[in-house]
Amino acid sequence: MKALLIARRELAGYLRTLSGYVIIAVILALNGLFFNAYALGGASKRSAEVLSQFFYYSSGFTIVASVFISMRLLAEERQTGTLPLLYSSPLRDRDIVLGKFLAGLAFLALYVLCTVYMPLLVMVNGKVSFGHVAAGYLGLLLLGSASLAVGTFGSALARNQLLAAITSAVLLVALILCWLLARITEQPLADVFSAMSLWNQHFPPFQSGLVHVRDVVYYLVVTYVALFAATRVLEARRWR
C-alpha cells in the first residue's frame, strides 16, 4: 500500500512536469521516423514482416525511454538533498524502490500505449494478427520493465541524474552484448552468456508473435534482481 502511494505521488510528478512529456514526444517521434523509413519503406512486405520490424525498432526505443525515465527516480532525491527526508519517514527501503519503479513503469506503459497507432497503420493495407500484436506488446512491456529496473539500480548508485543515465546505459549495453561473449567463449560459459543476453536471446520470439515462458521468466527475474539490488544500495546508504 505504501509503495502504491509513493508510485501515485511520483507519477503525478512526471505528469506535472514538462520533461516527461518531452521524453515521450522525442522518442515517439524517432520511433515513428524509423517505422516509416525502415518498416514501411522499401519493397513490398507482408504485414507480419512489417509488424515484426516495428517491434524490432520499438524495442530499442523502449530501452532508451527506460534509461531516461529511470534516471530521476532515486538520483534526483540525492541531487536535490531530499533523500534524508525519505530515510526519516516510516517508509521501508523496498517500498521506496518499488513505488518509484511502479511510477516509472506506468509512465513507460504510457509511452508504449502511444505507439499503438503504428500497428493500426499496417491494418490499412494489410491484415494484422491480434495475437502477434499482443505478444509483441507483452514483450515490449517485459523488456521495458527489466530495463527500467536496471535503470532504477543505476539511479540508486549515482549522485545525479546524468551519472544515473550513464550508469544505467552501461549496465544495459553490457547485458545486451552478452550474446557477443557467448559467441567467443566455450561451453558452458557460452550458454550462460547467451541466457543472460537482454535482447538477442529473449526478445525475438515476442517480435515474431511467440510467447515462451522462459523469456517471460527471464525478464521478471532481471526485474526482481535489479530492484533487490537497488533496495540494498538504499539500505547501505541509510546506515552510512
Side-chain angles (χ1 to χ4, degrees), residues 56-78:
Y56 173 80
Y57 293 113
S58 293
S59 63
F61 287 110
T62 299
I63 294 175
V64 173
S66 299
V67 171
F68 284 107
I69 291 173
S70 64
M71 69 180 186
R72 61 163 290 184
L73 293 179
L74 294 168
E76 185 183 39
E77 301 285 356
R78 294 189 66 192

Side-chain angles (χ1 to χ4, degrees), residues 44-55:
S44 300
K45 301 175 183 177
R46 295 180 302 168
S47 298
E49 184 180 356
V50 173
L51 199 58
S52 179
Q53 290 189 355
F54 159 71
F55 287 120

Side-chain angles (χ1 to χ4, degrees), residues 4-232:
L4 292 178
L5 292 176
I6 296 175
R8 187 172 65 178
R9 188 201 69 176
E10 192 73 20
L11 181 59
Y14 273 114
L15 297 176
R16 283 197 302 264
T17 58
L18 183 62
S19 60
Y21 294 103
V22 170
I23 290 173
I24 286 184
V26 171
I27 298 180
L28 191 62
L30 291 173
N31 197 352
L33 288 174
F34 272 71
F35 174 71
N36 184 66
Y38 297 104
L40 290 180
S44 300
K45 301 175 183 177
R46 295 180 302 168
S47 298
E49 184 180 356
V50 173
L51 199 58
S52 179
Q53 290 189 355
F54 159 71
F55 287 120
Y56 173 80
Y57 293 113
S58 293
S59 63
F61 287 110
T62 299
I63 294 175
V64 173
S66 299
V67 171
F68 284 107
I69 291 173
S70 64
M71 69 180 186
R72 61 163 290 184
L73 293 179
L74 294 168
E76 185 183 39
E77 301 285 356
R78 294 189 66 192
Q79 187 175 346
T80 58
T82 57
L83 192 57
L85 295 177
L86 287 178
Y87 285 154
S88 63
S89 68
L91 298 171
R92 293 176 294 182
D93 294 317
R94 67 180 183 183
D95 292 328
I96 296 172
V97 171
L98 182 59
K100 287 181 172 290
F101 167 77
L102 290 176
L105 185 60
F107 198 71
L108 181 67
L110 176 62
Y111 157 73
V112 173
L113 181 63
C114 289
T115 67
V116 171
Y117 78 92
M118 298 182 205
L120 294 180
L121 288 177
V122 181
M123 296 178 61
V124 174
N125 295 314
K127 295 182 180 179
V128 173
S129 166
F130 175 77
H132 192 169
V133 174
Y137 273 102
L138 175 62
L140 288 180
L141 290 175
L142 289 170
L143 176 63
S145 175
S147 301
L148 190 70
V150 172
T152 304
F153 173 57
S155 186
L157 291 173
R159 292 183 176 274
N160 56 63
Q161 296 184 54
L162 178 60
L163 287 177
I166 294 173
T167 302
S168 302
V170 169
L171 292 173
L172 288 169
V173 169
L175 283 174
I176 292 172
L177 294 182
C178 278
W179 69 275
L180 287 177
L181 294 176
R183 296 179 61 181
I184 61 176
T185 55
E186 297 181 356
Q187 300 293 348
L189 286 179
D191 290 337
V192 173
F193 285 127
S194 179
M196 289 175 58
S197 178
L198 184 69
W199 189 93
N200 191 70
Q201 180 72 14
H202 299 283
F203 188 78
F206 292 107
Q207 178 186 331
S208 301
L210 303 174
V211 178
H212 295 156
V213 174
R214 67 174 184 271
D215 301 320
V216 175
V217 171
Y218 167 80
Y219 286 123
L220 293 178
V221 168
V222 171
T223 300
Y224 173 80
V225 171
L227 293 179
F228 179 81
T231 303
R232 289 295 175 262

